[in-house]
Amino acid sequence: MTQIKFTIITLFPEALEPYLSSSMLYKARERGIIDIEYINLRDFGLGPHRSVDDTPYGGGDGMLLRPEPAFAAIESVKAQDSTAEVIIPTPAGMTWNQTLVRQFASLDAPKTRQQSDDIQRPTKSQSKHYIIFCPHYEGFDERILNICDYQISLGQYILTGGELPALILIDSITRLLPGVLGGETSAEIESFSDGGNLEYPQYTKPADFRGMKVPEVLLSGHHGKIAEWRALESAKKCKNML
């Protein structure tokens, strides 16, 4: 049973497919853990030229995505699944972090702009459907936000479109789903897995590479001392990040 379906509304579906058909995301799709659907916003464009943008009222550079194609595209998906929730990447949104990733992966419950703090956590049997609307050009008509449930920001910088944020959202959510990563605890011991932690340094063979040696404690086989060393090194990284 598909755990999460992602419907991506974009002007450039061809830019997304290569990454979403590679590595772990390919395996997740093959195993039926996630499903990816593309909706070309141009299909909902206006007039003979399928126009999706226009100049901003009040003047200014660039073009804005019009509300009509955006609403029509989103509503076409919701007509098939009324439970689908809409995500839009925007600098004005809440900053994406591992806590939010866990919520959107249904490990914890995300909150929409309409929902209160007493939201109930979804059961593990529930599947999710996220519509990711990818802005482009100079921006989008503000009224489009009225049909979106979540506004997400990747940080204080601007990209040319919402396709890269869409990939980041899908990748970060998918890798937490059961059956995607190799080990049962792979996603539990990494950086930010419990909020602000950073993962301890890790090493593999050879034990001595060009004079750079693996710490002796990791070769000792003493699990208690190894755990203590890892906790200490993780704390050091967190301190250096401040």
Side-chain angles (χ1 to χ4, degrees), residues 69-91:
F71 271 70
I74 292 170
E75 287 169 349
S76 74
V77 182
K78 281 184 165 288
Q80 303 298 318
D81 182 1
S82 62
T83 68
E85 298 174 309
V86 184
I87 302 171
I88 185 168
T90 168

Side-chain angles (χ1 to χ4, degrees), residues 201-203 207 212-220 226 229 233:
Q202 299 193 78
Y203 301 86
M212 295 177 283
K213 297 182 179 181
V214 174
E216 287 293 333
V217 64
L218 299 180
L219 308 177
S220 67
I226 290 173
W229 178 87
E233 292 300 315

Side-chain angles (χ1 to χ4, degrees), residues 37-160:
E37 177 187 27
Y38 301 100
I39 301 290
N40 195 322
L41 183 62
R42 188 73 65 185
D43 292 340
F44 298 86
L46 307 175
H49 299 294
R50 298 287 187 181
S51 176
V52 297
D53 60 342
D54 213 325
T55 55
Y57 282 122
D61 295 331
M63 305 286 280
L64 301 179
L65 289 178
R66 295 178 59 129
E68 306 99 304
F71 271 70
I74 292 170
E75 287 169 349
S76 74
V77 182
K78 281 184 165 288
Q80 303 298 318
D81 182 1
S82 62
T83 68
E85 298 174 309
V86 184
I87 302 171
I88 185 168
T90 168
M94 49 188 173
T95 302
W96 193 240
N97 57 39
Q98 197 65 13
T99 299
L100 285 177
V101 175
R102 288 182 55 83
Q103 292 174 356
F104 278 80
S106 289
L107 301 177
D108 302 305
K111 299 180 178 65
T112 69
R113 51 189 170 82
Q114 295 95 355
Q115 292 173 315
S116 62
D117 290 335
D118 61 356
I119 183 172
Q120 296 298 308
R121 173 177 171 171
T123 63
K124 290 186 177 180
S125 61
Q126 286 180 310
S127 59
K128 303 289 293 183
H129 184 180
Y130 294 122
I131 302 169
I132 305 178
F133 181 82
C134 298
H136 217 77
Y137 305 122
E138 185 64 23
F140 54 86
D141 187 293
E142 188 76 7
R143 290 168 289 187
I144 294 174
L145 294 178
N146 289 303
I147 201 171
C148 296
D149 298 291
Y150 308 105
Q151 300 176 44
I152 298 295
S153 170
L154 295 185
Q156 296 181 349
Y157 53 90
I158 306 299
L159 299 170
T160 57

Side-chain angles (χ1 to χ4, degrees), residues 168-190:
I168 290 171
L169 294 173
I170 294 170
D171 187 300
S172 58
I173 292 171
T174 299
R175 64 189 303 279
L176 291 187
L177 300 178
V180 176
L181 297 182
E184 293 183 3
T185 61
S186 293
E188 297 178 7
I189 59 174
E190 60 192 6

